[in-house]
Amino acid sequence: MADKFSLNGISNIFNESIARNEPTLAFELRNGKGLFLFMMFFDYEDDSTKDVIYIFMKNIQRMLKLKLYGNHLKGQFDIYIDEWMKELFMRELLLEDSQSNKKFIFENFFNALNLSIPSVIKLSDKVNVLRKSWSEVSSHIPSDVIEEGDKTILIGDVQLPKNKKPREKTLRKLYLYADGNADEIETLISRLKSMNRTVAWTSDKNRSGKNVQTIISTF
């Protein structure tokens, strides 16, 4: 039988991301010997993505995709953890063969995780976390988190018609593949959204890619 735990500590950064029109969350939490990467990838065209959180366990290289229950606008972010999931958490914490696991209380563990969730995250911090970990997690995440994942060479920006807006699945690729630091990417995304522009990518290795600074300088 699954047990319910609260991750309502995510409320502040969830609402912050929505308010700043930055529908991506990524942050790491350390607990004991375990290192957990939390990720959310929203899509304004699909409300169901606001109810999904990914937890990647770095020691054991395992990913959990969990549904978040409750009214998020009221700060409710509940998850249900099955017995097999608990075993993964124990393995990540390097407790599976220890006598200490007999005294391990999951409610205390999740309360501690919840309290350690940051209240504010800059976009540049999200970029740095994802860049550092993407080689580990990309094969564990649905391919539609980013658009046309095989196209990783940035070739420029494009003006969108008035009836369209830049897609997060396209802009999110800047976090991972653009030649620019996190602050530059934050500036570029902000300007693209304010001007209703997006970025174009190609998989053609013979094309020369553009760096973020070059694109920013054209605005």
Side-chain angles (χ1 to χ4, degrees), residues 162-180:
K162 292 182 179 180
N163 64 336
K164 292 188 176 182
K165 293 182 179 181
R167 292 168 58 89
E168 293 299 330
K169 294 178 181 180
T170 302
L171 297 181
R172 195 173 283 139
K173 292 166 71 170
L174 290 167
Y175 297 5
L176 306 170
Y177 305 119
D179 182 7

Side-chain angles (χ1 to χ4, degrees), residues 131 138 150 162 183 206:
R131 283 189 169 185
S138 58
D150 61 317
K162 292 182 179 180
D183 290 331
N206 295 318

Side-chain angles (χ1 to χ4, degrees), residues 18-37:
I18 298 296
R20 293 199 321 221
N21 195 21
E22 281 175 20
T24 301
L25 284 179
F27 58 93
E28 289 182 342
L29 299 179
R30 185 174 291 280
N31 184 286
K33 296 180 180 179
L35 182 57
F36 304 91
L37 171 59

Side-chain angles (χ1 to χ4, degrees), residues 102 118 120 144-145 173 213 216:
K102 295 180 181 179
V120 177
D144 61 356
V145 163
K173 292 166 71 170
Q213 281 188 334
I216 291 175

Side-chain angles (χ1 to χ4, degrees), residues 39-62:
M39 295 169 287
M40 294 183 72
F41 304 101
F42 317 152
D43 182 350
Y44 290 125
E45 297 177 0
D46 182 1
D47 285 342
S48 67
T49 59
K50 296 180 182 180
D51 295 325
V52 175
I53 190 165
Y54 297 91
I55 304 177
F56 185 69
M57 304 178 190
K58 291 210 161 186
N59 287 330
I60 62 173
Q61 297 286 293
R62 291 292 299 271

